[in-house]
Amino acid sequence: MTDRVKLPEDCENMSEVRAGVDRTDQQIMDLLEKRFGYMRAAARIKAERGAVRDEARKAAVIAAVRERAERDGLPAAEIERIWEQLVEASIAYELVEWDRLRA
């Protein structure tokens, strides 16, 4: 894959589309690595294990993503489900990290 990937609106063939998707997947993984780094930071900072799960914060995060998806014309219900899974995975990861740091 080259370093130059076309924007979606500039793609003229499936090879260009696939290169863009592959690059985007790499960027998503980079962002997930960063997001889970914040979960490690939260595990280190939170004094109480019970503070890891914050249902109000979870609802706010998912609502914001759904609003953004709707505004951008993306499939909001599907993205909301993805974020539900992402947030739950993040909570589970943070709990493991919280326990590990205090073992």
Side-chain angles (χ1 to χ4, degrees):
M1 180 171 43
T2 66
D3 287 340
R4 297 179 54 92
V5 174
K6 290 186 176 185
L7 294 173
E9 59 272 14
D10 296 331
C11 290
E12 297 173 357
N13 59 58
M14 285 308 299
S15 179
E16 293 169 347
V17 169
R18 289 179 181 130
V21 169
D22 291 347
R23 172 61 59 86
T24 301
D25 286 347
Q26 291 173 4
Q27 292 169 333
I28 290 169
M29 287 303 301
D30 291 342
L31 290 171
L32 286 170
E33 181 180 14
K34 187 175 189 177
R35 190 182 205 286
F36 279 81
Y38 285 115
M39 297 303 97
R40 287 190 301 276
R44 176 176 41 82
I45 293 166
K46 291 178 182 175
E48 300 294 325
R49 191 177 196 275
V52 171
R53 178 169 290 281
D54 182 343
E55 290 298 329
R57 170 69 177 152
K58 175 184 169 182
V61 167
I62 292 171
V65 168
R66 183 179 180 100
E67 283 179 29
R68 169 80 187 263
E70 289 170 349
R71 185 183 74 225
D72 293 348
L74 299 173
E78 289 80 1
I79 290 173
E80 182 177 358
R81 281 193 290 277
I82 291 167
W83 245 260
E84 169 76 26
Q85 291 178 334
L86 175 59
V87 172
E88 282 300 320
S90 297
I91 291 168
Y93 181 77
E94 187 180 337
L95 285 167
V96 167
E97 285 298 301
W98 197 95
D99 291 342
R100 184 186 65 79
L101 290 168
R102 286 152 184 88

